[in-house]
Every structure is written in structure tokens, then in C-alpha cells.
């Protein structure tokens, strides 16, 4: 693990994963999916908007290009209006797009998100996905599992890295598609 330190006013930032680490983890996650779903004939990948879609796109690209998976179905799901804190916010929420141009009825759905924290986003995703049919099963793939921060009994089937951080620390995943590089940071706001 790399431990580069950077201070910004009252914020300390530590690198948890660099680009090479993420590359290795993405390939491992793709192989784990391949082991469990073989040809993906009855499996769909669904990235949670906004940041889970970067991870979902990368996993799908590896499966298509390196393992020659044909007809891989990949979608994006917005959970904004399914969140339990939807009406508690003072600022208006901006929804992202949902793009599920396939049926999930009787399919094996793999929900994909960057960080599993409290479990509330995944609960929202489970509610939202029901709007599109009844899947045969639902699995969860995350890049980072903050295992001691859970508010709900939700666990990932596939995880890139498990990390134990205190609640005042934030895990921030950045993707080259959006932020010009791949990295995962632990940020302490104290």
C-alpha cells in the first residue's frame, strides 16, 4: 500500500490505491465475475449512477476485450429519488440518467458501485431495480468496502479492497474518465 501524504488546509489525504493497484483489482474482479457467470447469457451488469458507472464500464470493457464475452448487457441505474434521505435535503437533487435497455426479469443482476459505506445506496438500488422487473438474483460488486460503517445488513459478493476507516474519514475514488487519473484516497477532515 502506498502512503503519500498531502495537507490541504485542515485536510489530510492518504493514497489507498494508485492506478496500478486499481488495474490489478479490476482484472481480479472481472475474473471472479467470469468464474461465477461464465458466458453472461443470463446476467446483466448495472452500474449505479454516478460513480459506479465508471467501475461498471471498466469491468465490462475487460470482460469484452480480454475474455471475449459477447452480448454483455450493461446498464446504468439512477437511485436519486429512491434514497431514504430524498426529502430531508435542503438543496434540490439532480438526477442522473437511467439506461436499462434490457429486461431484468429472471436475470442475474450484478449491481456495481465504487464504495460500499452505510448500505443505504444499495438499499435504494434494490428498491429502484424492482421497477424494472423481478430478477432471479442480485449480487453486489464494489471497489471499496468500508465494512465497519454499515447501517444496514448489506454485504458485497465481490470487493476490490476492504478498508477500516473511522467515520470522520472519507474514501474518495477518482477515475481517469472524470478526474484524469485513477486513485483511491482516504481523506481525514479533522
Amino acid at each position: 500500500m502506498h502512503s503519500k501524504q498531502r495537507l490541504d488546509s485542515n485536510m489530510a489525504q492518504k493514497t489507498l490505491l494508485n492506478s496500478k493497484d486499481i488495474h490489478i483489482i479490476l482484472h481480479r474482479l472481472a475474473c471472479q465475475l467470469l468464474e461465477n457467470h461464465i458466458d453472461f447469457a443470463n446476467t446483466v451488469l448495472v452500474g449505479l449512477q454516478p460513480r459506479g458507472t465508471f467501475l461498471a464500464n471498466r469491468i465490462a470493457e475487460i470482460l469484452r476485450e480480454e475474455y471475449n464475452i459477447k452480448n454483455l448487457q450493461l446498464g446504468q441505474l439512477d437511485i436519486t429519488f429512491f434514497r431514504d434521505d430524498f426529502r430531508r435535503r435542503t438543496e434540490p437533487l439532480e438526477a442522473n440518467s437511467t439506461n436499462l435497455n434490457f429486461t431484468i426479469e429472471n436475470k442475474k443482476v450484478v449491481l456495481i458501485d465504487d464504495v460500499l459505506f452505510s448500505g443505504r445506496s444499495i438499499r435504494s438500488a434494490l428498491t429502484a431495480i424492482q421497477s424494472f422487473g423481478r430478477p432471479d438474483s442480485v449480487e453486489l460488486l464494489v471497489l471499496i468496502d468500508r465494512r465497519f460503517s454499515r447501517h444496514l445488513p448489506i454485504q458485497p459478493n465481490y470487493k476490490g479492497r476492504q478498508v477500516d476507516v473511522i467515520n470522520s474519514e472519507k474514501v474518495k475514488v477518482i477515475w481517469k474518465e472524470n478526474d484524469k487519473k485513477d486513485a483511491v484516497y482516504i481523506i481525514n477532515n479533522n
Side-chain angles (χ1 to χ4, degrees):
M1 190 179 315
H2 308 280
S3 59
K4 183 175 102 181
Q5 297 286 332
R6 191 186 81 171
L7 297 175
D8 290 336
S9 45
N10 292 329
M11 198 172 9
Q13 177 173 290
K14 177 180 145 188
T15 302
L16 178 65
L17 300 174
N18 63 27
S19 178
K20 182 179 178 185
D21 299 329
I22 291 172
H23 177 81
I24 292 166
I25 288 170
L26 292 180
H27 282 78
R28 178 175 47 82
L29 290 169
C31 287
Q32 289 173 343
L33 282 172
L34 193 57
E35 286 177 10
N36 291 332
H37 297 278
I38 317 249
D39 63 359
F40 290 82
N42 199 39
T43 302
V44 298
L45 304 181
V46 178
L48 300 188
Q49 289 279 28
R51 305 198 62 84
T53 59
F54 297 121
L55 177 57
N57 290 339
R58 292 279 193 88
I59 296 286
E61 180 181 336
I62 292 167
L63 289 169
R64 287 177 180 138
E65 293 180 9
E66 296 188 27
Y67 297 100
N68 204 27
I69 300 299
K70 304 283 188 212
N71 302 318
L72 182 66
Q73 296 180 312
L74 172 65
Q76 296 85 32
L77 180 66
D78 179 58
I79 61 168
T80 302
F81 299 112
F82 292 91
R83 294 176 55 94
D84 59 3
D85 62 353
F86 165 58
R87 289 185 171 42
R88 294 180 180 188
R89 295 179 178 236
T90 54
E91 72 279 354
L93 292 174
E94 290 186 32
N96 293 289
S97 63
T98 290
N99 179 16
L100 294 175
N101 57 359
F102 46 80
T103 182
I104 65 153
E105 192 72 30
N106 298 317
K107 297 281 184 164
K108 295 176 181 168
V109 175
V110 180
L111 294 176
I112 301 175
D113 205 4
D114 60 350
V115 178
L116 175 56
F117 180 39
S118 68
R120 293 184 185 280
S121 292
I122 303 308
R123 189 216 43 88
S124 301
L126 290 169
T127 302
I129 204 79
Q130 295 294 320
S131 302
F132 297 93
R134 185 177 181 190
D136 178 52
S137 66
V138 179
E139 294 180 331
L140 176 60
L141 181 148
V142 297
L143 181 64
I144 303 294
D145 175 15
R146 288 185 59 157
R147 69 178 175 160
F148 292 135
S149 304
R150 214 78 77 239
H151 298 169
L152 299 170
I154 292 174
Q155 300 301 320
N157 301 87
Y158 313 93
K159 60 185 166 207
R161 177 70 57 90
Q162 187 170 292
V163 61
D164 301 332
V165 293
I166 58 177
N167 284 336
S168 65
E169 294 175 317
K170 180 179 180 182
V171 175
K172 181 173 174 82
V173 178
I174 63 170
W175 298 103
K176 68 181 176 186
E177 294 86 344
N178 197 48
D179 304 301
K180 309 293 186 248
K181 70 176 185 174
D182 292 335
V184 178
Y185 298 111
I186 294 176
I187 300 170
N188 191 334
N189 293 320
N190 292 335

